[in-house]
Amino acid sequence: MKIIMLGAPGAGKGTQAERISKKYGIPHISTGDIFRANIKAGTELGIKAKAYIDKGLLVPDDVTVDLVMDRISQEDCKNGYILDGFPRTIPQAESLTRALKARGTSIDHAVDVDVPDESIIARMSGRRACLTCGATYHTVYAKPAKEGICDKCGASLVLREDDKPETVKQRLLVYHEQTKPLIDYYRKENVLCTVDGTQDMEKVFLDITKTLGCLLYTSPS
Ligand code: ADP
Ligand code: ADP
Ligand code: ZN
């Protein structure tokens, strides 16, 4: 199964993608996580991406598309994957559609996690990220066992530089201009489902598994 997560920055794409990944046993591919890992490692890609990310802008399509095409060609993606944060522009979506078509396949579901802008800024100020393993927490809604420390790897948690309110506002502008049109794109492809992302995480996950028609579904643990 090949799934795309759509939604504004902070809508809960990563949180839900992680759960879907576990449930279906398919890899969770987050372009944001890949960029952040490259920034941390000081690679050429990381240096290039950082200049855009810090300003709340998108990394150019050619860089991003190549990265994702390479990733989905890997062995662990042969039974499907969840793309979280890609595509983010119409040209990215068209490149993906073309590449999949050439392989005789297509996206099965595009899940739009719908959260209004008003809720986003408040939610983002509480997000805490582990830049070592990519795990995400929230100061109110998803607390780690020990404040400021990642449950999974023990590294310190940080407020991402681009999660500060000024940059979030810019990212929301970019979202409305460049990413939101993808909702119509995937509606036309007949694969869109929309879930109310303002509900608590468990309920959002329940709604997603229902719309995916998940026969494997069991109660969230
Ligand atoms: P969020 O989780 O808030 O939606 P991400 O971690 O997905 O944010 O992305 C962080 C930043 O990385 C984006 O603001 C953007 O600069 C860059 N980025 C991630 N995915 C893409 C993409 N598909 N195209 C261009 N830039 C991207
Ligand atoms: P995205 O990947 O879309 O940017 P995240 O999954 O990182 O979003 O979620 C953004 C922040 O909001 C995180 O701190 C996360 O713990 C929190 N969060 C995610 N889903 C919910 C929810 N349904 N209710 C409250 N907080 C949430
Ligand atoms: Zn960690």
Side-chain angles (χ1 to χ4, degrees):
M1 176 143 55
K2 292 183 281 303
I3 303 172
I4 285 172
M5 301 301 293
L6 299 174
K13 302 181 295 295
T15 300
Q16 299 301 331
E18 197 54 40
R19 292 173 187 223
I20 298 167
S21 162
K22 285 207 183 94
K23 179 129 277 184
Y24 289 86
I26 49 178
H28 168 200
I29 301 171
S30 156
T31 39
D33 284 350
I34 297 173
F35 288 136
R36 280 185 290 279
N38 276 274
I39 291 172
K40 193 158 188 262
T43 67
E44 203 178 312
L45 172 67
I47 292 165
K48 189 162 187 188
K50 188 175 187 324
Y52 298 93
I53 293 174
D54 284 353
K55 293 194 189 94
L57 302 174
L58 295 182
V59 178
D61 285 340
D62 54 345
V63 177
T64 312
V65 167
D66 285 353
L67 177 88
V68 173
M69 293 311 147
D70 184 60
R71 180 65 188 86
I72 63 177
S73 307
Q74 290 170 18
E75 184 59 22
D76 65 334
C77 290
K78 68 177 192 307
N79 294 325
Y81 41 80
I82 303 175
L83 293 175
D84 159 19
F86 181 93
R88 255 182 159 97
T89 65
I90 293 284
Q92 289 181 12
E94 287 170 347
S95 297
L96 179 65
T97 302
R98 252 194 326 271
L100 292 180
K101 203 169 176 191
R103 300 173 194 185
T105 181
S106 61
I107 289 297
D108 299 298
H109 301 280
V111 178
D112 176 35
V113 184
D114 187 32
V115 176
D117 287 7
E118 307 84 81
S119 313
I120 293 289
I121 297 193
R123 195 184 271 191
M124 295 294 251
S125 60
R127 172 156 68 180
R128 294 294 177 274
C130 175
L131 298 182
T132 299
C133 77
T136 298
Y137 301 86
H138 193 281
T139 50
V140 179
Y141 305 113
K143 293 183 180 179
K146 197 170 165 211
E147 198 185 326
I149 303 292
C150 178
D151 290 346
K152 292 185 183 143
C153 77
S156 296
L157 301 178
V158 297
L159 170 64
R160 274 165 44 185
E161 203 49 49
D162 62 336
D163 279 351
K164 294 185 176 161
E166 277 320 298
T167 318
V168 171
K169 280 184 198 147
Q170 172 61 35
R171 289 163 67 199
L172 280 171
L173 286 178
V174 168
Y175 169 74
H176 284 284
E177 228 169 69
Q178 301 195 58
T179 308
K180 214 170 171 194
L182 295 180
I183 294 177
D184 266 342
Y185 180 93
Y186 286 105
R187 185 179 287 124
K188 284 182 192 138
E189 301 265 310
N190 270 324
V191 293
L192 182 75
C193 58
T194 302
V195 294
D196 176 0
T198 64
Q199 311 174 93
D200 69 50
M201 294 173 201
E202 302 301 334
K203 181 66 169 66
V204 178
F205 183 58
L206 189 66
D207 285 358
I208 292 175
T209 52
K210 274 186 194 155
T211 51
L212 295 183
C214 175
L215 296 171
L216 299 172
Y217 180 71
T218 52
S219 313
S221 51

